[in-house]
Amino acid sequence: MSRTVFCSFLKKEAPGLAFQLIPGEIGKRIFDNISQEAWAEWQKKQTMYINEKKLNLMKAEDRKLIEDAMVGYLFENKEVEIEGYTAEK
């Protein structure tokens, strides 16, 4: 039986992640408060964001940009700015 969380992104009870995907406090916060569905939505946005901004995951400053966008998207209701992309309402 999968675990459920109250997803702070979707604002409802939903199946939670199977394990903590990211180390540290942010990873714990995501594991405790973000559902599988919300994480999948973030992964799509993250891919577009990385490609649009031509980010290099080997660079600490680029990883920090991604982390900030992730926290903003999942917890602060901020849309990820991707040129030429309009979010569905």
Side-chain angles (χ1 to χ4, degrees), residues 16-80:
L17 298 167
F19 55 90
Q20 186 174 325
L21 299 167
I22 299 171
E25 284 300 313
I26 292 173
K28 174 95 171 97
R29 187 175 175 198
I30 290 168
F31 180 72
D32 291 341
N33 300 290
I34 298 298
S35 67
Q36 293 173 11
E37 180 183 350
W39 183 254
E41 286 185 38
W42 162 247
Q43 287 183 305
K44 291 175 193 172
K45 295 280 185 169
Q46 175 182 253
T47 300
M48 290 189 291
Y49 185 69
I50 290 169
N51 291 336
E52 172 66 32
K53 302 288 185 185
K54 296 180 173 62
L55 299 177
N56 180 347
L57 298 177
M58 297 299 288
K59 294 182 178 180
E61 59 269 18
D62 287 1
R63 289 192 309 271
K64 178 68 172 142
L65 286 173
I66 295 165
E67 182 179 292
D68 291 345
M70 176 182 65
V71 170
Y73 183 76
L74 293 173
F75 295 108
E76 299 167 4
N77 203 27
K78 294 180 182 176
E79 190 56 50
V80 179

